[in-house]
Amino acid sequence: MSVPSLQRLSITKECATYGSDEPRLEISTPCSKYLRSLNAEVLDLTDSLIFNRLLHLELNVCNSFRSKLLLSLLKYFPNLQSLNLGRTYPEDTEDQLYCLGSEPSSVPKCLSFHLESIQWRGYAGTLDEREAAAYILKNAHRLKTSTIRLHTTYMDNGQIIMKDLTSMSKASASCQLVIE
């Protein structure tokens, strides 16, 4: 799909397991400023595809959250100002398999220079989510607001998760962390 003047794009994919015959969608929208994707696995970016103009990104993941996927995606959006993450079906047993391990060799440009706002819905406090949150907070120098909404299934551990999040170091002294 090539639409050079398109500024807003929303991609929806049903949560399901597909075989290797899964259809692929190639997108060329160099003027995009807003991208919304339901299930982040839809996005399979290559080094040649960079959304330089994208300012707002919304990702809703079905199933497991993967910090490696999120952090690798951020490098493709160097001017990103707001990031909205959502998680539909947390599965904490799978998340332990996908931990970040080592941080990326270079900090994505959007974290160093542009990201001002994060909203994260369905945060469960798994190891993988925690590592992604810590990395973003530690490297987002212009972050003004970070709103994290806990998933209702994990509210019993809410106080522990809140204490963990508030203890994370932040690159931005003006960042307001809101945990709901």
Side-chain angles (χ1 to χ4, degrees):
M1 176 175 81
S2 179
V3 186
S5 61
L6 187 68
Q7 292 190 8
R8 294 180 65 87
L9 176 63
S10 183
I11 302 170
T12 304
K13 176 182 174 182
E14 294 296 321
C15 296
T17 303
Y18 296 99
S20 60
D21 296 348
E22 182 175 345
R24 300 187 56 85
L25 176 64
E26 292 186 26
I27 302 168
S28 175
T29 57
C31 291
S32 288
K33 293 182 181 177
Y34 177 90
L35 175 63
R36 180 176 184 227
S37 175
L38 302 177
N39 191 350
E41 294 170 39
V42 164
L43 300 176
D44 180 18
L45 303 176
T46 62
D47 288 340
S48 64
L49 180 62
I50 299 177
F51 290 93
N52 285 319
R53 296 177 186 245
L54 196 74
L55 302 177
H56 310 283
L57 176 62
E58 181 177 339
L59 295 175
N60 291 314
V61 264
C62 296
N63 304 317
S64 299
F65 176 84
R66 292 174 180 87
S67 61
K68 282 185 182 181
L69 174 62
L70 172 64
L71 297 179
S72 68
L73 281 176
L74 290 179
K75 71 181 177 186
Y76 294 103
F77 311 112
N79 295 308
L80 193 67
Q81 293 177 2
S82 71
L83 176 62
N84 190 330
L85 300 172
R87 184 164 170 196
T88 312
Y89 306 109
E91 296 176 6
D92 60 343
T93 55
E94 284 187 39
D95 285 326
Q96 305 307 321
L97 302 173
Y98 298 102
C99 64
L100 182 58
S102 61
E103 294 180 350
S105 58
S106 63
V107 176
K109 188 177 175 183
C110 65
L111 292 182
S112 296
F113 301 107
H114 300 289
L115 192 68
E116 295 180 356
S117 168
I118 293 178
Q119 289 190 15
W120 194 327
R121 295 175 325 278
Y123 184 88
T126 64
L127 177 61
D128 207 39
E129 288 175 326
R130 186 199 182 284
E131 288 181 350
Y135 183 83
I136 291 169
L137 290 172
K138 182 174 86 174
N139 291 291
H141 295 275
R142 296 194 178 252
L143 196 60
K144 294 178 183 174
T145 59
S146 180
T147 303
I148 300 175
R149 290 182 182 91
L150 303 181
H151 191 277
T152 54
T153 305
Y154 298 92
M155 290 307 282
D156 290 344
N157 297 325
Q159 293 297 324
I160 296 169
I161 294 171
M162 289 197 286
K163 185 176 180 180
D164 182 48
L165 287 168
T166 56
S167 70
M168 293 179 183
S169 64
K170 297 170 197 69
S172 172
S174 63
C175 176
Q176 181 181 8
L177 179 63
V178 177
I179 303 167
E180 300 174 344

